[in-house]
C-alpha cells in the first residue's frame, strides 16, 4: 500500500516554504488549515507583521492556499500567530495570539 506524504509550505511572503503552528479542522466536507506566516520581505507589501494563512484540502495531502488574515487593530500591530480553530454551532471560530 502506498501512502502519500502531506507537505505544505506557503511561499507567498518570504519565497521559501513556511507554515508554522498549523491547526487543521474538518468543516463542511473539507479540511481547513490555519497557520502562522512571517512578515513579508517586501516593505511595500500590506502584510508587514505576522499573519495567519488559510489552506484547504479535500484529502489531507493536496493543499491550496485560500486566504490570509491580516492584523486589523492597534492591539494586533505586531501581527497574529499561533492559530487554533474550533467549530461551535456549525461556525468556525478562530483563536490566535497577538
Amino acid at each position: 500500500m502506498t501512502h502519500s506524504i502531506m507537505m505544505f509550505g506557503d511561499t507567498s511572503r518570504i519565497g521559501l516554504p513556511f507554515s508554522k503552528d498549523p491547526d487543521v479542522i474538518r468543516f463542511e466536507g473539507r479540511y481547513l488549515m490555519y497557520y502562522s506566516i512571517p512578515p513579508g520581505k517586501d516593505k511595500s507589501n500590506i502584510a508587514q507583521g505576522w499573519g495567519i494563512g488559510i489552506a484547504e484540502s479535500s484529502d489531507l495531502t493536496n493543499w491550496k492556499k485560500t486566504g490570509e488574515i491580516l492584523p486589523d487593530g492597534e492591539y494586533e500591530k505586531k501581527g497574529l500567530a499561533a492559530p487554533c480553530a474550533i467549530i461551535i454551532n456549525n461556525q468556525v471560530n478562530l483563536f490566535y495570539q497577538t
Side-chain angles (χ1 to χ4, degrees), residues 1-13:
M1 184 159 90
T2 304
H3 295 283
S4 297
I5 296 174
M6 189 288 279
M7 295 179 156
F8 175 80
D10 185 336
T11 59
S12 66
R13 290 217 179 163

Side-chain angles (χ1 to χ4, degrees), residues 9 20-21 25 27 32 45 60 69 76 88 92 95:
K20 186 177 179 183
D21 310 315
I25 60 169
F27 183 68
L32 298 170
N45 188 327
L60 289 174
I69 301 170
E76 296 175 335
I88 301 173
V92 176
F95 299 88

Side-chain angles (χ1 to χ4, degrees), residues 1-97:
M1 184 159 90
T2 304
H3 295 283
S4 297
I5 296 174
M6 189 288 279
M7 295 179 156
F8 175 80
D10 185 336
T11 59
S12 66
R13 290 217 179 163
I14 60 173
L16 299 171
F18 193 96
S19 305
K20 186 177 179 183
D21 310 315
D23 187 58
V24 177
I25 60 169
R26 183 162 173 78
F27 183 68
E28 295 183 349
R30 67 187 193 260
Y31 296 97
L32 298 170
M33 177 174 26
Y34 298 89
Y35 54 93
S36 303
I37 46 179
K41 289 182 176 182
D42 179 1
K43 297 300 179 193
S44 66
N45 188 327
I46 190 171
Q48 290 301 307
W50 281 83
I52 296 174
I54 307 166
E56 183 176 325
S57 174
S58 61
D59 61 7
L60 289 174
T61 300
N62 301 292
W63 293 89
K64 178 182 178 186
K65 182 176 181 179
T66 58
E68 282 188 19
I69 301 170
L70 301 174
D72 190 36
E74 179 64 25
Y75 59 94
E76 296 175 335
K77 67 182 178 185
K78 292 185 179 180
L80 317 172
C84 179
I86 185 171
I87 301 167
I88 301 173
N89 296 327
N90 204 34
Q91 182 176 13
V92 176
N93 293 265
L94 188 66
F95 299 88
Y96 55 86
Q97 70 183 37

